[in-house]
Amino acid sequence: MGDIAKGVLGGGWALLVGWVLPSAINLAVFFFAVAPSLEGLGLVRQLWPSTQSGTMTLLLVCAVLLGLVLSSLQQPLYRFLEGYALWPQRAYDRGLRTQRARRQRLAELVAQPGHPTLRLAVLQEQLSRYPIGDEQIAPTRLGNAIRRFEEYGHDRYRLDTQVLWNELTGAAPGPAVRQTETARTPVDFFVALLYGHALLTLTALGALAAGHADRALLVPTAAVALALIPVWYRSAVVATDEWAAAVRALVNVGRKPLADALGLVLPKELAEERRMWQLVTRMSRRPYHPAAEAAFAPYRMDPDRVAPMPGTPVVPGQPQP
């Protein structure tokens, strides 16, 4: 049934599950736990529906609108949680030191002998959520969990997926592209829940100042919402595992279609392929220079070499393309 719904909704599935659904959850808690204490305010009294069906309609409309807003703001929302935006320099540096020390401890624990199989698997899983290069470490756990697969293409093939993402997703097989979108949806879901619970905590605490505040309901609501914020954060970190696997698969199976789309022949040797993708990345970042023609010459397709049509007989002694 879920697969049918995904097929019907298409690309809207990620928006619905990743942003609209958690918005509906957060708004439902707000409507039934916080809003009653605000009914004494004039504006709230004027806007609040008088019937239960009207309340449900308002909830649905607000959930869709809030989900669309959060989806459009997902880049800054993610960048703050990853530690790249709105972080003071001192907090950023402290986060880097903390994450580097944590990765080092995990690496030392994994290297120690005598761990039970399950314990070793858990430690290796936690260590795998960090990027390989020390210079790629981010100041937060979510930032490192995402950075590990952002650097995968460059580390393995020198294919910078951050620069060539649109080209890669445009040329890669459709199932691989859809897989990355589906795998990201749970992370979006927990991120939206996290921000929604943060706003819910603030509004619940602010509603305590209202004249008809229901403290017996507002205080537990704020406390539970605040306690769940780190739970949603950790859940988002864990959910990146599937996202990372999908991006790795996209890079692995999408390299050749991307090379074909760019008019290049994928080299058989990995070292030569790494040099080619490094050139492609440089070409995408820098202004055009005539020297690029000579640099790309060894990797360009020969327009005179055309594959024979299927079923074309092979004539003995005739040169084949």
Side-chain angles (χ1 to χ4, degrees):
M1 188 66 181
D3 293 336
I4 297 175
K6 291 180 185 179
V8 172
L9 293 172
W13 176 259
L15 174 63
L16 177 64
V17 177
W19 300 102
V20 175
L21 178 59
S23 298
I25 295 173
N26 289 317
L27 284 172
V29 177
F30 172 80
F31 273 33
F32 298 108
V34 179
S37 297
L38 302 176
E39 287 184 355
L41 300 179
L43 180 60
V44 175
R45 191 185 309 113
Q46 294 175 9
L47 296 178
W48 199 261
S50 58
T51 63
Q52 184 177 3
S53 60
T55 301
M56 297 304 296
T57 301
L58 179 62
L59 171 60
L60 178 60
V61 172
C62 290
V64 172
L65 292 177
L66 181 59
L68 291 174
V69 170
L70 291 177
S71 178
S72 65
L73 295 175
Q74 59 183 275
Q75 183 175 4
L77 293 178
Y78 266 95
R79 289 185 70 83
F80 175 75
L81 294 179
E82 293 176 70
Y84 300 139
L86 302 179
W87 277 55
Q89 187 62 43
R90 186 171 298 179
Y92 181 87
D93 294 338
R94 184 168 60 250
L96 287 180
R97 291 193 297 269
T98 300
Q99 293 302 314
R100 284 171 177 159
R102 186 174 184 274
R103 189 186 68 163
Q104 182 63 30
R105 288 196 303 270
L106 287 171
E108 292 172 354
L109 286 173
V110 168
Q112 291 177 1
H115 289 297
T117 303
L118 182 59
R119 172 62 176 167
L120 181 60
V122 171
L123 291 173
Q124 290 175 335
E125 183 181 73
Q126 293 175 350
L127 183 60
S128 70
R129 296 189 184 120
Y130 283 87
I132 297 174
D134 188 66
E135 72 282 356
Q136 298 289 342
I137 292 291
T140 69
R141 293 176 63 183
L142 182 61
N144 287 306
I146 293 177
R147 189 60 186 158
R148 59 167 164 166
F149 59 81
E150 288 181 340
E151 72 157 357
Y152 173 78
H154 180 268
D155 176 74
R156 184 63 56 91
Y157 305 110
R158 287 297 182 264
L159 193 165
D160 194 329
T161 54
Q162 295 298 98
V163 176
L164 299 170
W165 181 256
N166 289 337
E167 290 87 345
L168 179 62
T169 54
V177 177
R178 288 191 295 272
Q179 187 178 23
T180 60
E181 297 171 352
T182 304
R184 174 176 174 161
T185 301
V187 187
D188 292 340
F189 177 84
F190 290 120
V191 168
L193 274 182
L194 185 155
Y195 278 103
H197 276 47
L199 291 175
L200 187 62
T201 301
L202 293 177
T203 54
L205 294 176
L208 289 172
H212 300 83
D214 185 355
R215 295 179 178 273
L217 183 59
L218 291 175
V219 172
T221 299
V224 172
L226 184 62
L228 285 175
I229 289 176
V231 175
W232 303 142
Y233 183 85
R234 294 189 183 96
S235 299
V237 173
V238 174
T240 59
D241 290 348
E242 186 65 24
W243 190 6
V247 171
R248 288 196 300 268
L250 177 68
V251 173
N252 290 333
V253 304
R255 291 159 30 241
K256 188 178 187 306
L258 176 59
D260 295 341
L262 296 175
L264 304 174
V265 177
L266 197 67
K268 294 182 179 180
E269 294 77 16
L270 180 59
E272 192 64 27
E273 180 183 348
R274 286 163 63 92
R275 282 192 286 270
M276 185 193 77
W277 289 125
Q278 196 167 19
L279 284 172
V280 173
T281 302
R282 289 177 182 174
M283 180 187 69
S284 301
R285 282 178 168 173
R286 301 177 182 178
Y288 171 77
H289 193 279
E293 293 294 331
F296 276 104
Y299 310 108
R300 291 200 180 278
M301 292 182 177
D302 186 354
D304 296 329
R305 292 177 59 87
V306 181
M309 294 294 292
T312 302
V314 177
V315 180
Q318 179 178 345
Q320 299 299 318

